[in-house]
Amino acid sequence: MSAIHEPLRKKLAACINRTSYDDFSAQVIRQAKWCILDLIGVSIVGNWQKTAAYTLDLISVAGGNEEATVWGSGLKVPVLAASQANAVQGHAIDMDDGHRFANGHPGVVTIPAGVAIAERDDLTGRELIEAVVAGYEVFIRLGTAASPDLLLRGFHTTATIGTFASASVALKLLKLDHAQTENALSLAGLQSAGLLEALSSGEAGKSFQVGKTSQSGVLAAL
């Protein structure tokens, strides 16, 4: 099969797998750090919102292993729950970073997933930054390619494209091989969902689908 007719998952997998911290410029590394700090700050403020409280109540009752922190609460929960809760908080006041041409928010679906896995597995800052940059790259490229058609059809870019970005971060940190990467991206696609109707029907729904997106990407990689 020629490279031109390769399935998109193969091209994405190759791009993600060859992404390396050693190739990043100082500017990229600095910007990645700012993005991580910014999202955590926004998420801590979002922790005060009712939407976050509903999510926190739910995952507190569910219990499970203490693997990763819900920012602003001190609660430690399973990695899937942490990636969801921190993304819900991160989008609760809609102040998380956005990309104009991708028409979505890359940080809120990538960083909660990455930090949760990095905390659970005691990974380095270099590994986290490498994975987050890969996730941003996937989000921005796919989001830009699908814009504006995706929005015009009524789909929420952050939630739909974000599943692939979240999975990219997770699989990078989990050090999946090429075949596993393809499988993770495929499983992410099966879970890709989110409607712009949430903009008119209630902000709680918008944050919920973003949180589910972050969690779904991690689930796909696991």
Side-chain angles (χ1 to χ4, degrees), residues 57-95:
D57 287 346
L58 178 63
I59 64 176
S60 297
V61 171
N65 295 332
E66 296 184 353
E67 297 177 334
T69 304
V70 179
W71 304 326
S73 72
L75 183 68
K76 295 197 75 168
V77 296
V79 68
L80 286 171
S83 61
Q84 179 184 18
N86 287 327
V88 168
Q89 294 181 179
H91 204 58
I93 61 172
D94 220 349
M95 291 293 289

Side-chain angles (χ1 to χ4, degrees), residues 33-45:
K33 291 178 180 178
W34 277 118
C35 287
I36 293 168
L37 287 171
D38 179 72
L39 193 279
I40 291 174
V42 169
S43 183
I44 289 173
V45 175

Side-chain angles (χ1 to χ4, degrees), residues 14-52:
C15 178
I16 295 164
N17 286 338
R18 67 171 174 261
T19 299
S20 172
Y21 183 96
D22 293 333
D23 295 330
F24 297 162
S25 67
Q27 181 181 4
V28 167
I29 295 168
R30 182 168 59 252
Q31 187 62 40
K33 291 178 180 178
W34 277 118
C35 287
I36 293 168
L37 287 171
D38 179 72
L39 193 279
I40 291 174
V42 169
S43 183
I44 289 173
V45 175
N47 177 262
W48 305 338
Q49 306 302 308
K50 285 185 179 180
T51 304

Side-chain angles (χ1 to χ4, degrees), residues 28-217:
V28 167
I29 295 168
R30 182 168 59 252
Q31 187 62 40
K33 291 178 180 178
W34 277 118
C35 287
I36 293 168
L37 287 171
D38 179 72
L39 193 279
I40 291 174
V42 169
S43 183
I44 289 173
V45 175
N47 177 262
W48 305 338
Q49 306 302 308
K50 285 185 179 180
T51 304
Y54 299 150
T55 305
L56 199 59
D57 287 346
L58 178 63
I59 64 176
S60 297
V61 171
N65 295 332
E66 296 184 353
E67 297 177 334
T69 304
V70 179
W71 304 326
S73 72
L75 183 68
K76 295 197 75 168
V77 296
V79 68
L80 286 171
S83 61
Q84 179 184 18
N86 287 327
V88 168
Q89 294 181 179
H91 204 58
I93 61 172
D94 220 349
M95 291 293 289
D96 44 309
D97 67 14
H99 192 275
R100 181 176 301 172
F101 300 113
N103 274 311
H105 302 261
V108 74
V109 291
T110 55
I111 294 167
V115 172
I117 293 174
E119 181 179 359
R120 184 195 69 171
D121 296 345
D122 196 24
L123 303 179
T124 66
R126 288 171 63 98
E127 290 172 299
L128 175 62
I129 289 169
E130 181 181 80
V132 166
V133 171
Y136 266 72
E137 188 78 3
V138 167
F139 186 99
I140 292 168
R141 287 182 180 272
L142 290 183
T144 301
S147 181
D149 293 348
L150 197 63
L151 291 173
L152 294 176
R153 290 172 181 266
F155 294 102
H156 186 206
T157 305
T158 305
T160 51
I161 298 298
T163 312
F164 297 99
S166 174
S168 299
V169 174
L171 66 88
K172 192 73 174 171
L173 290 170
L174 294 171
K175 300 175 176 59
L176 302 191
D177 63 26
H178 187 87
Q180 292 170 328
T181 296
E182 286 190 44
N183 286 337
L185 292 172
S186 299
L187 291 173
L190 292 177
Q191 302 176 82
S192 175
L195 300 176
L196 283 178
E197 178 63 25
L199 288 173
S200 8
S201 299
E203 287 300 300
K206 187 165 180 276
S207 296
F208 166 77
Q209 64 188 11
V210 168
K212 190 65 179 64
T213 293
S214 180
Q215 182 193 59
S216 294

